[in-house]
């Protein structure tokens, strides 16, 4: 079995330490870091994403796979930068103001990174102004808002309004997600897309960044 | 007929004179809201948040509810002693990092309530388990108030159903390890340790239930709390859940059956469908609260799939109380059809949340009692 296949398979099982060791070995063997990323790490994460979308696996499997991917990426990140490998797009993501929950947000972030996007993580309790300002300053193509609470999801509407006021609404797509959020709510507040899970969110962001 | 007789008859497919108006308590913020609006006093708002407190039963009368389903007698079946709550860090905006009684570090911001936001956790490895947690997961007679339970049959309210709270097989563990910690332990770091944690905790809880029932106290139903599902399904794979939990549900439920308790309800938020086989096959037979409003969980598919063996309490979309009379009427029509299936007691699908209109809750409670059977 090739080492890239091993990376891919261990990533799917969430074996973080093994993935880290295998990526290190692959680098030592002289395998191109971009190849390690695409054929090992991202290939594994894509399979995880598909299985998650199809309800074949659940949140824990995604969390551990994403952690394994991050550990692998940390090894090759400096090498990728040195080779001038660029991200396929840029997204800023955060949990909206008043809400401190971040498991869902982190899952989406990791899935997006797994698709080769650069993600600016604004953390939790993020104001509408910060979302918009970051998108402007960092040239993000997508703003991604997460909320767990019914009491905080209304902040998403504020993000849409602030983006309009700042004159960037036609340049930036706004994605929303989280437990209480729905397609109906997305339409109501004028956001661009709602996705039911983290993998679908990553797919949608990739489309927006093309 | 008393509310107790109505509820128990419905869950045994026997006749009843009317649908009982059953609820599942209130969020504190709603009671504060109702106090500000003048519907209840601030004192009642403070005290009525506790399930089946005298103040909540008083509020039930004002609204028109017959009872709160979450009326259970429990034991001290958590970590004991609990960790001492400690503020670890305070940020300029008032947000604090706090070590909780479960050994989890949470972020708490003034004015932000509801589901905890977990930052970190102590139970990461075997050393932490052996030194910090295992001693707190042991059974001791002090965990069960046997003196009070011996008098329970004489002192209990006889007009409403009262259950014995038998604990949690996975939910409490998730509270202690967090979703992240649970995931890392099971899938990557130490599955054997995780299994041992579940077994240790479950054995302590079993002994608590055993000691409580040995007092002769008689209950109408047994009740678990789990909360191990979310919007898209379970928080861990159903296969692993079954592997870890089946034997513990079976043992505990067999004990309940031995004491004549054949109604066993389980409180689990989220979409529960994938875990129902483990529960039903081991003796849990009442789904509660069937969160249709927030998560889209439903009772009908379970009834179609598992037949009359599966019972339900819940399934009423509580978000209707934030809308208008028409929305409540639509809900009443829908849950009436569920009631007609038998073995189902309508109940708001979780605690009533801020924004629920007092007059609409009153209207629902009265209307549900007036439905002709």
């Amino acid at each position: 079995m090739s080492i890239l296949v091993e990376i891919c398979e261990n990533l799917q099982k969430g074996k973080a330490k093994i993935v880290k060791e295998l990526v290190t070995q692959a680098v030592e063997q002289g395998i191109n870091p971009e190849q390690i990323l695409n054929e090992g790490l991202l290939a594994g994460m894509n399979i995880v994403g598909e299985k998650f979308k199809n309800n074949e696996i659940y949140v824990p499997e995604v969390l551990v796979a994403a952690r394994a991917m991050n550990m692998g990426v940390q090894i090759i990140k400096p090498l990728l930068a040195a080779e001038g490998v660029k991200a396929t797009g840029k997204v800023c993501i955060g949990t909206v103001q008043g809400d401190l929950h971040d498991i869902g947000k982190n899952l989406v972030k990791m899935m997006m990174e797994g698709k080769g996007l650069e993600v600016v993580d604004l953390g939790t309790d993020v104001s509408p102004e910060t979302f918009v300002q970051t998108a402007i300053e960092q040239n993000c193509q997508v703003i991604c808002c997460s909320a767990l609470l019914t009491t905080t999801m209304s902040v998403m509407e504020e993000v849409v309004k602030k983006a309009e006021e700042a004159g960037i609404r036609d340049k930036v797509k706004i994605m929303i997600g989280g437990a209480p959020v729905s397609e109906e709510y997305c339409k109501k507040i004028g956001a661009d897309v709602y996705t039911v899970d983290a993998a679908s969110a990553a797919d949608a962001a990739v489309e927006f960044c093309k | 007929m008393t509310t107790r007789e109505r509820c128990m008859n419905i869950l045994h497919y026997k006749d009843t004179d009317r649908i009982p108006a059953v609820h599942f308590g209130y969020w504190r913020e709603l009671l504060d809201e109702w106090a500000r609006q003048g519907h209840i006093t601030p004192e009642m708002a403070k005290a009525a948040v506790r399930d089946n407190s005298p103040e909540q039963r008083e509020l039930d009368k004002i609204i028109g509810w017959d009872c709160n389903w979450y009326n259970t007698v429990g034991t001290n079946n958590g970590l004991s002693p609990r960790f001492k709550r400690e503020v670890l860090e305070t940020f300029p905006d008032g947000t604090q990092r706090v070590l909780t009684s479960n050994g989890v570090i949470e972020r708490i911001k003034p004015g932000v309530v509801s589901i905890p936001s977990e930052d970190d956790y102590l139970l990461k490895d075997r050393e932490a388990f052996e030194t910090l947690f295992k001693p707190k997961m042991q059974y001791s007679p002090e965990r069960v108030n046997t003196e009070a339970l011996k008098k329970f049959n004489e002192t209990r309210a006889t007009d409403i159903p009262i259950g014995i709270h038998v604990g949690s097989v996975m939910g409490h563990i998730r509270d202690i390890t967090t979703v992240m910690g649970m995931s890392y332990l099971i899938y990557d770091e130490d599955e054997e340790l995780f299994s041992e944690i579940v077994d240790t905790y479950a054995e302590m809880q079993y002994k608590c239930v055993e000691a409580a029932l040995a007092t002769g106290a008689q209950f109408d139903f047994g009740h678990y709390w789990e909360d191990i599902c979310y919007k898209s399904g379970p928080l861990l794979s159903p296969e692993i859940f079954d592997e870890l939990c089946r034997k513990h549900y079976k043992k505990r439920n067999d004990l309940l059956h031995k004491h004549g308790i054949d109604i066993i309800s389980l409180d689990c938020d989220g979409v529960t469908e994938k875990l129902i086989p483990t529960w039903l096959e081991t003796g849990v037979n009442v789904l509660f609260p069937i969160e249709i409003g927030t998560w889209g969980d439903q009772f009908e598919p379970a009834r179609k799939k598992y037949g009359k063996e599966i019972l339900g309490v819940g399934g009423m979309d509580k978000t209707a109380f934030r809308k208008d009379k028409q929305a409540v009427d639509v809900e009443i029509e829908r849950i009436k059809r569920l009631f007609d299936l038998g073995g189902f007691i309508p109940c708001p699908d979780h605690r009533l949340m801020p924004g629920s209109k007092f007059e609409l809750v009153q209207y629902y409670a009265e209307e549900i009692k007036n439905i002709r059977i």
Side-chain angles (χ1 to χ4, degrees):
Chain A
M1 189 191 296
S2 91
I3 195 162
L4 296 179
V5 174
E6 276 190 79
I7 291 171
C8 175
E9 290 188 352
N10 278 286
L11 183 140
Q12 290 174 58
K13 291 176 193 161
K15 302 294 179 192
K17 285 178 195 160
I18 298 173
V19 167
K20 190 179 173 186
E21 282 167 19
L22 288 168
V23 170
T24 307
Q25 280 176 36
V27 171
E28 285 166 0
Q29 286 172 19
I31 300 173
N32 183 302
E34 198 172 356
Q35 198 182 354
I36 298 171
L37 179 71
N38 291 328
E39 294 175 29
L41 299 169
L42 297 188
M45 208 59 203
N46 276 333
I47 294 169
V48 169
E50 282 305 308
K51 285 184 176 175
F52 186 51
K53 273 196 288 187
N54 297 331
N55 272 336
E56 291 170 41
I57 60 170
Y58 299 87
V59 164
E61 286 101 322
V62 181
L63 283 172
V64 291
R67 182 173 73 155
M69 190 192 77
N70 276 351
M71 286 178 86
V73 166
Q74 290 311 313
I75 308 284
I76 55 172
K77 213 170 188 174
L79 305 172
L80 290 168
E83 286 198 356
V85 176
K86 285 187 179 164
T88 51
K90 197 168 185 181
V91 176
C92 63
I93 189 170
T95 305
V96 297
Q97 196 163 41
D99 202 327
L100 303 175
H101 301 89
D102 61 4
I103 291 181
K105 185 265 295 175
N106 291 343
L107 270 178
V108 174
K109 176 193 167 190
M110 292 187 275
M111 282 292 189
M112 286 179 171
E113 287 176 339
K115 291 278 181 185
L117 295 168
E118 183 182 349
V119 183
V120 181
D121 186 354
L122 299 170
T124 60
D125 195 18
V126 181
S127 70
E129 292 80 5
T130 304
F131 276 111
V132 172
Q133 202 55 36
T134 305
I136 293 168
E137 288 170 4
Q138 304 220 28
N139 289 319
C140 298
Q141 292 128 297
V142 181
I143 292 173
C144 198
C145 306
S146 170
L148 179 70
L149 309 176
T150 48
T151 47
T152 58
M153 60 194 266
S154 58
V155 176
M156 294 170 167
E157 190 170 6
E158 285 301 308
V159 175
V160 176
K161 283 180 188 165
K162 292 286 174 198
E164 282 166 2
E165 286 168 19
I168 60 163
R169 192 62 190 91
D170 58 339
K171 300 182 191 78
V172 176
K173 298 292 182 185
I174 299 177
M175 295 176 55
I176 61 169
V181 182
S182 64
E183 182 68 45
E184 186 190 0
Y185 184 71
C186 178
K187 282 181 186 154
K188 186 183 156 199
I189 66 169
D192 292 296
V193 72
Y194 156 78
T195 52
V196 291
D197 58 58
S200 307
D203 288 344
V206 167
E207 283 302 310
F208 285 144
C209 290
K210 274 181 182 170
Chain B
M1 253 183 162
T2 64
T3 302
R4 183 185 180 191
E5 288 166 334
R6 279 184 201 106
C7 289
M8 290 302 109
N9 275 14
I10 291 167
L11 295 177
H12 287 100
Y13 294 97
K14 291 180 185 170
D15 289 341
T16 180
D17 56 348
R18 65 169 172 81
I19 303 177
V22 175
H23 71 103
F24 178 18
Y26 317 88
W27 283 113
R28 172 65 193 270
E29 294 69 31
L30 173 64
L31 296 179
D32 289 342
E33 205 172 279
W34 283 355
R36 284 195 299 275
Q37 292 164 359
H39 298 296
I40 58 175
T41 64
E43 292 74 30
M44 180 178 269
K46 197 175 173 189
V49 74
R50 195 160 58 82
D51 288 329
N52 289 293
S53 59
E55 292 81 0
Q56 190 179 87
R57 293 212 68 195
E58 186 59 33
L59 177 57
D60 286 356
K61 280 184 199 159
I62 295 169
I63 290 175
W65 295 118
D66 288 315
C67 74
N68 178 347
W69 180 254
Y70 222 116
N71 186 16
T72 58
V73 172
T75 58
N76 175 14
N77 60 14
L79 296 176
S80 183
R82 292 179 159 269
F83 286 92
K84 193 179 170 207
R85 192 178 186 278
E86 194 181 338
V87 176
L88 304 173
E89 202 174 356
T90 303
F91 298 96
D93 68 349
T95 301
Q96 293 184 321
R97 287 181 84 239
V98 176
L99 175 68
T100 70
S101 58
N102 278 329
V104 170
I105 296 159
E106 289 179 358
R107 271 170 295 159
I108 296 171
K109 188 178 180 185
V112 178
V113 290
S114 184
I115 306 164
S117 169
E118 295 151 346
D119 227 20
D120 205 352
Y121 52 99
L122 301 183
L123 183 42
K124 289 185 176 170
D125 53 28
R126 180 161 289 283
E127 192 189 344
F129 175 59
E130 296 288 349
T131 58
L132 296 175
F133 287 85
K134 198 173 177 181
K136 295 178 186 292
M137 293 180 177
Q138 302 304 308
Y139 173 75
S140 67
E142 295 76 36
R143 285 180 175 272
V144 184
N145 187 345
T146 46
E147 289 312 306
L149 285 167
K150 279 176 189 167
K151 295 175 198 156
F152 176 75
N153 295 342
E154 287 75 46
T155 57
R156 63 162 285 170
T158 54
D159 58 335
I160 54 172
I162 303 180
I164 175 168
H165 203 301
V166 297
S168 161
V169 179
M170 187 59 81
H172 281 185
I173 304 293
R174 191 222 51 188
D175 270 356
I176 292 165
T177 60
T178 76
V179 174
M180 304 287 275
M182 179 178 82
S183 306
Y184 296 157
L185 276 175
I186 293 176
Y187 292 90
D188 191 20
E189 292 167 355
D190 201 337
E191 191 181 352
E192 196 181 313
L193 171 62
F194 190 82
S195 177
E196 195 178 325
I197 295 168
V198 172
D199 291 348
T200 305
Y201 205 81
E203 191 55 26
M204 174 271 289
Q205 293 206 329
Y206 175 84
K207 285 178 180 168
C208 288
V209 180
E210 189 176 46
L213 291 173
T215 63
Q218 292 178 325
F219 299 94
D220 299 304
F221 63 99
H223 188 78
Y224 287 90
W225 172 84
E226 287 297 0
D227 277 6
I228 198 70
C229 296
Y230 73 119
K231 193 174 189 173
S232 304
L235 281 166
L236 73 170
S237 99
E239 291 76 25
I240 291 177
F241 180 80
D242 189 79
E243 192 184 315
L244 291 166
C245 302
R246 175 178 283 270
K247 58 180 182 285
H248 297 300
Y249 283 121
K250 180 79 170 63
K251 189 175 174 185
R252 227 173 286 184
N253 294 338
D254 283 351
L255 178 66
L256 293 172
H257 290 158
K258 202 175 121 191
H259 285 266
I261 298 168
D262 62 351
I263 299 295
I264 304 175
S265 73
L266 185 144
D267 172 6
C268 185
D269 295 354
V271 175
T272 57
E273 182 198 342
K274 296 277 171 69
L275 302 185
I276 291 174
T278 303
W279 292 329
L280 195 59
E281 285 161 28
T282 56
V284 172
N285 52 4
V286 182
L287 301 177
F288 172 82
I290 315 169
E291 281 193 285
I292 186 158
T294 313
W295 313 92
D297 203 21
Q298 293 198 48
F299 180 67
E300 275 165 306
R303 172 54 63 80
K304 273 184 193 155
K305 192 167 179 181
Y306 302 105
K308 288 196 157 187
E309 205 182 332
I310 193 107
L311 309 165
V313 177
M316 182 263 166
D317 181 359
K318 66 176 183 176
T319 61
F321 294 134
R322 289 172 123 182
K323 297 174 185 165
D324 51 27
K325 187 169 166 287
Q326 194 187 353
V328 175
D329 284 335
V330 168
E331 262 315 282
I332 290 173
E333 275 308 305
R334 194 183 61 78
I335 56 175
K336 188 171 169 278
R337 289 196 296 276
L338 293 178
F339 177 80
D340 290 341
L341 297 172
F344 178 84
I345 299 173
C347 171
D349 59 351
H350 208 285
R351 298 183 185 279
L352 299 189
M353 57 190 182
S356 301
K357 294 171 187 165
F358 190 83
E359 60 278 8
L360 288 182
V361 180
Q362 271 187 319
Y363 171 73
Y364 168 84
E366 285 310 317
E367 284 299 302
I368 208 85
K369 289 187 291 194
N370 288 332
I371 291 173
R372 286 173 57 192
I373 294 173

